[in-house]
Amino acid sequence: MNPVNYLYLSALLFTIGAAGVLVRRNAIIVFMCVELMLNACNLAFVTFSRIHGNLDGQIIAFFTMVVAAAEVVVGLAIILMIFRVRHSASVDDANLMKL
Amino acid sequence: MNVLAATTSTSTGEAVQFWVLGTIALVGALCTVMMKKAVHSALSLAGTMIILAVFYLSQGAYFLGIVQIVVYTGAIMMLFLFVLMLVGVTSADSLKETLKGQRWLAATCGLGFGILLIAGIGNASIDSYAGLGKANADGNVEALAALIFNRYVWAFELTGALLITAAVGAMVLTHRERITKPETQRELSQRRVREGKQVTPLPAPGVYARHNANDIPALLPDGSIAEVSVNKTLRARGQMRDVSNEPMSNVAELEGQAESWLGRVTPKRVVRQPEENGSPESESEGAAK
């Protein structure tokens, strides 16, 4: 088996995540699909690192994880705040910029 | 750099692992998108992430594999579950589409995008790979540390600043300023007496000796249910289980037995609980037994 198969898997996971972001309306599930896309990118980075024989890909994946953690913290705080005001986590209900 | 020690194929064990776990990862990803309840989505996503961690480990990214389990499945997914519990688990996402044809359009877009990506990768014709044997020679963590603290040290510092900003931002966003002074216990009791609606503590949920679950309302002396005995959140969700029918029928049966015992009607069946025959009417609050 060639490691390129990992790239195919990562492409599939990314596609599924992107379709989920387009289809779902619960903000938390949309967020989870974004996480899935980030994870797919990480898998591609790790595989590239192995194909090229240097560790820069793993460094990038590491930074992606850090940024994802920061993103999740802020994003979930925003979802929680919208839920407090609107009593709903659906992205359809948040149709105003102000709360 | 990548001309050295180029190999063309991985071990059979890794291939088997890839095909088995890769299938499960794909199923987990699909479940994440398609499950109706958000908790199920979160659990499928956690499974997919653990499988990705196994892939990292088998590809020589030992540090990232462990970080994936600790940070992603351990911290981030638990944060997701935490927020899900706060927002309300039972709020199932309605899968009815509001925009007409959105689902098909999204599926088409996704399919096209996937075909584009996979065709692009297929065109690249990578038939040999370098492997991480040389890069990981002194240990994966040491090699990563050498890169992070030399070439990428500026980016590393910036991510530190980003994390601190994110933590402060989350605290600012979720902080709620208290506008009024919180009521003390004395003020609460005075208000209860002044309003005169419910001076005593609220009745406890559950029916005597049969059901003591929190979602089962207590019964009033006349057999109707006391709604205030059930938690407000459960009431709002409509998760109140009314079991008053069963005790009420039991009471009716007991009363019938008492009548027959007193000789007003001919006895039809044997009395089941002889110790309760004395005064069945006084049992009506406890109802069942």
Side-chain angles (χ1 to χ4, degrees), chain B residues 2 6 16 26 33 71 85 102 105 143 150 155 174 186-187 199 221 227 238 268 270 284 286:
Chain B
N2 54 358
V16 172
L26 268 186
V33 175
V71 173
M85 298 301 161
Q102 181 211 10
L105 273 177
N150 288 313
T174 51
R186 167 175 289 273
E187 285 164 352
V199 183
E227 289 224 353
K268 275 174 191 160
V270 198
S284 60

Side-chain angles (χ1 to χ4, degrees), chain A:
Chain A
M1 185 196 79
N2 198 309
V4 178
N5 284 332
Y6 285 112
L7 294 182
Y8 288 126
L9 176 67
S10 125
L12 282 176
L13 290 181
F14 191 93
T15 311
I16 293 174
V21 170
L22 290 178
V23 169
R24 296 307 294 261
R25 271 173 291 125
N26 187 338
I28 297 176
I29 296 184
V30 169
F31 226 57
M32 283 196 261
C33 291
V34 172
E35 291 303 308
L36 184 64
M37 291 161 77
L38 286 170
N39 265 286
C41 293
N42 279 351
L43 181 63
F45 278 128
V46 169
T47 310
F48 281 136
S49 152
R50 187 188 192 190
I51 289 175
H52 290 290
N54 59 29
L55 290 175
D56 292 283
Q58 291 188 19
I59 300 278
I60 303 291
F62 171 71
F63 283 132
T64 313
M65 283 184 185
V66 178
V67 172
E71 172 225 339
V72 162
V73 167
V74 175
L76 286 181
I78 292 175
I79 290 178
L80 210 59
M81 206 176 56
I82 292 181
F83 179 78
R84 264 189 206 155
V85 179
R86 299 268 158 142
H87 296 286
S88 153
S90 171
V91 287
D92 279 351
D93 291 339
N95 50 5
L96 291 173
M97 282 297 278
K98 63 174 186 147
L99 288 172

Side-chain angles (χ1 to χ4, degrees), chain B residues 176-193:
Chain B
R176 242 190 316 195
E177 202 70 46
R178 208 177 248 290
I179 303 169
T180 54
K181 197 170 71 67
E183 280 183 304
T184 61
Q185 203 169 9
R186 167 175 289 273
E187 285 164 352
L188 282 175
S189 70
Q190 282 168 345
R191 186 156 59 88
R192 272 207 304 273
V193 172

Side-chain angles (χ1 to χ4, degrees), chain B:
Chain B
M1 198 173 188
N2 54 358
V3 240
L4 303 168
T7 23
T8 50
S9 176
T10 60
S11 66
T12 322
E14 201 191 327
V16 172
Q17 186 202 35
F18 174 79
W19 292 115
V20 174
L21 290 186
T23 318
I24 302 177
L26 268 186
V27 171
L30 283 175
C31 285
T32 307
V33 175
M34 293 180 180
M35 280 290 182
K36 195 167 179 180
K37 285 200 171 174
V39 177
H40 298 164
S41 287
L43 288 180
S44 334
L45 186 59
T48 305
M49 282 175 172
I50 289 177
I51 290 173
L52 287 185
V54 174
F55 284 162
Y56 295 169
L57 289 174
S58 67
Q59 296 211 73
Y62 306 114
F63 179 69
L64 279 187
I66 301 299
V67 166
Q68 168 88 3
I69 291 182
V70 171
V71 173
Y72 255 113
T73 30
I76 294 186
M77 284 320 294
M78 290 314 115
L79 200 62
F80 266 110
L81 283 181
F82 214 79
V83 171
L84 273 181
M85 298 301 161
L86 281 177
V87 162
V89 199
T90 47
S91 62
D93 195 9
S94 75
L95 289 175
K96 199 157 61 71
E97 47 185 2
T98 42
L99 297 173
K100 198 162 166 284
Q102 181 211 10
R103 196 168 299 164
W104 290 112
L105 273 177
T108 319
C109 282
L111 203 68
F113 184 69
I115 289 173
L116 205 65
L117 266 183
I118 287 173
I121 297 170
N123 260 337
S125 71
I126 310 161
D127 42 10
S128 71
Y129 67 98
L132 285 172
K134 194 162 157 288
N136 273 349
D138 297 333
N140 178 251
V141 180
E142 285 84 348
L144 277 182
L147 272 176
I148 287 178
F149 293 113
N150 288 313
R151 198 191 301 170
Y152 294 101
V153 70
W154 179 232
F156 185 68
E157 300 283 341
L158 281 183
T159 48
L162 177 74
L163 274 180
I164 290 180
T165 318
V168 173
M171 278 193 279
V172 168
L173 279 176
T174 51
H175 178 71
R176 242 190 316 195
E177 202 70 46
R178 208 177 248 290
I179 303 169
T180 54
K181 197 170 71 67
E183 280 183 304
T184 61
Q185 203 169 9
R186 167 175 289 273
E187 285 164 352
L188 282 175
S189 70
Q190 282 168 345
R191 186 156 59 88
R192 272 207 304 273
V193 172
R194 211 180 311 121
E195 287 175 355
K197 265 189 287 187
Q198 176 90 29
V199 183
T200 57
L202 294 175
V207 177
Y208 176 62
R210 286 298 292 274
H211 309 271
N212 56 2
N214 267 336
D215 57 343
I216 292 182
L219 295 185
L220 294 174
D222 60 345
S224 61
I225 57 172
E227 289 224 353
V228 280
S229 63
V230 175
N231 188 303
K232 202 167 63 179
T233 313
L234 291 178
R235 256 185 285 158
R237 287 183 190 164
Q239 284 182 333
M240 206 161 57
R241 275 194 292 158
D242 183 6
V243 291
S244 61
N245 284 337
E246 188 194 352
M248 285 312 285
S249 64
N250 282 353
V251 167
E253 191 187 342
L254 279 175
E255 279 171 352
Q257 283 165 5
E259 301 272 300
S260 67
W261 190 66
L262 291 172
R264 292 178 197 154
V265 200
T266 49
K268 275 174 191 160
R269 72 179 83 158
V270 198
V271 177
R272 277 189 312 181
Q273 288 100 14
E275 73 270 12
E276 283 187 7
N277 277 351
S279 55
E281 283 81 9
S282 71
E283 296 277 320
S284 60
E285 188 171 1
K289 287 189 184 73

